[in-house]
Amino acid sequence: MTSSSATNTRDWETLEKQAKILHETTLRKLFADQPGRASDMTFDVGPLRVDLSKNLIDEQTFRVLTGMARDMGLEEYRAAMFEGQHVNVTEDRASLHTALRIPVDGEMTVDGQDIAADVHEVLGRMRDFARALRSGAWQGISKHTIKNVVNLGIGGSDLGPSMASKALRPYQTAGITPHFISNVDPTDLHAKLDGLDPESTLFVIASKSFTTSETLANAHAAKRWLIKELELLGVPTETEEEIRAITEKHFVAVSTNEEKVREFGIDPANMFGFWDWVGGRYSVDSAVGLTLMASIGPQDFMEFLEGFHAVDDHFRTEPLEMNVPVMMGLLGVWYTNFFDAESHAVLPYNQDLARFPAYLQQLTMESNGKSVRLDGSPVDLKTGEIYWGEAGTNGQHAFFQLLHQGTHLIPADFIGFVNSHNETLSADGETSMHDMLMSNFFAQTRVLAFGKTAEELREEGVDEKLIPHKVMPGNRPSTTILAEKLRPHTLGALIALYEHITFVQGVMWGINSFDQWGVELGKKQANDLLASVQGKETSDAGDSSTDSLIAHYRSLREQ
């Protein structure tokens, strides 16, 4: 592990020269010069087939990049992470999310603790709870079975399980519908609770510390809603004992703070823990995934974990030159630092993956949005990729114009599936709508890569005045990820792939991908300003803009 800059490695200058060469070439030429390029640059990782051939890179550049990765200590850092060493240096702890999907017969001991046993003890309790819900053995206060599970969390305690629940919608087979409330905006709470039957609704409060302000605000508001609605249905709600009985039947916790959980009224027997070595954005496969497990069932949740583990094994054991997360991570560094790419599009051609780009935003931007190296010194290169995207052909009718003909270089990942859970025929009654979707999928990567020249347009008889407007420059890089079907195993593999891409980039940039100090100051100042915003005291924020804005807010609130 090193805190030195990649700019000081022997390969940085070589890469600058390579970038100049590749700026002057085209993907058409790269394919012409390397007839086997597609097969040479296509790899399998778990259930995923990954085609890197439409990227602006050649074999020599990949060799230099992997050489620089070795100089930056990627192999040693990778081993340290999997061994449970304290790679999160600013918080002096391990970052061991890979242990969350360790097989039941696996072994892992860190700092004297049997991690594998701890993980599977919690998974066992999660399975028992999910089975009780799905079988009807767990019932609400008025003996109704649970039909709605509402997850109350924010950040990693929301983005992961909400994305995965949407992605795995076809696997929700027990009549339990998951819902997710995260925003402290009361609109989120009211919109999600509207129409729910309180007698068949259970809440999962996901907060490791059980002190997260947004989550606790929503949890107490949900509790008030539940008590009021049950009272209207004739359920006794007058005494503390009656309230506690309701709470114990309709609330569980994903937390490690037993005292606060008990104080809320939840039986600690219904508290599911996780550990300091699990960062929030890496926690969907921990107890944070309880709502997901309740909706898709324990068996499919375990297949979800197996997908993670398949990619973990690939990342841990494959040499850098054949390692898909390594190569994709290095491509991100290549475009960010040598092509001045400002963002990275993730384009899943499956509507159930609509929230996947948002999930990746937290994973990569909270992890690698850093401007100091491991030793605290300022970085001397750009770090972090800005992820964004949209599902399927919706994006084509929105922002693809800029991808194809704009002035920004935006690398893109296209994620597609051979089969759909929803095979349907088009207007002619013969054409598969999924085939229509995937023809767009393949066409877009082709046009981005190879475009259309002025000469080709002239041969087609296009009006000369329109030719400059219709030229498609091509040379826009993309990676294609193809899988057989969006199954739990596939989704787990996709998430793990991007987790390890993020890790690789953190090592290359010499930063700590596992802390997130940047979000703390805003939280503190929000707490400091709350009294002023409520009108309990005069605003003295220390700057005239904030003070005047709060004063204007108060003047309108008080009308």
Side-chain angles (χ1 to χ4, degrees), residues 47-77:
L48 311 175
R49 170 149 291 193
V50 181
D51 180 355
L52 304 177
S53 65
K54 294 189 182 79
N55 281 282
L56 287 167
I57 198 163
D58 57 18
E59 187 178 349
Q60 181 181 350
T61 306
F62 256 133
R63 281 200 301 270
V64 179
L65 279 166
T66 53
M68 187 167 71
R70 286 192 171 90
D71 287 347
M72 290 298 293
L74 177 58
E75 291 165 317
E76 293 82 5
Y77 202 7

Side-chain angles (χ1 to χ4, degrees), residues 267-330:
D267 185 342
N270 300 321
M271 181 181 90
F272 302 86
F274 54 118
W275 306 271
D276 283 344
W277 43 260
V278 182
R281 56 195 177 276
Y282 297 94
S283 65
V284 64
D285 43 341
S286 72
V288 167
L290 185 64
T291 298
L292 174 65
M293 184 190 277
S295 64
I296 69 172
Q299 181 175 338
D300 283 326
F301 190 88
M302 298 309 289
E303 288 189 15
F304 179 57
L305 299 188
E306 288 168 8
F308 279 93
H309 186 66
V311 176
D312 291 345
D313 267 355
H314 172 96
F315 178 58
R316 182 174 55 84
T317 61
E318 286 291 327
L320 302 190
E321 293 80 4
M322 301 292 290
N323 195 305
V324 176
V326 170
M327 289 186 285
M328 289 183 69
L330 293 176

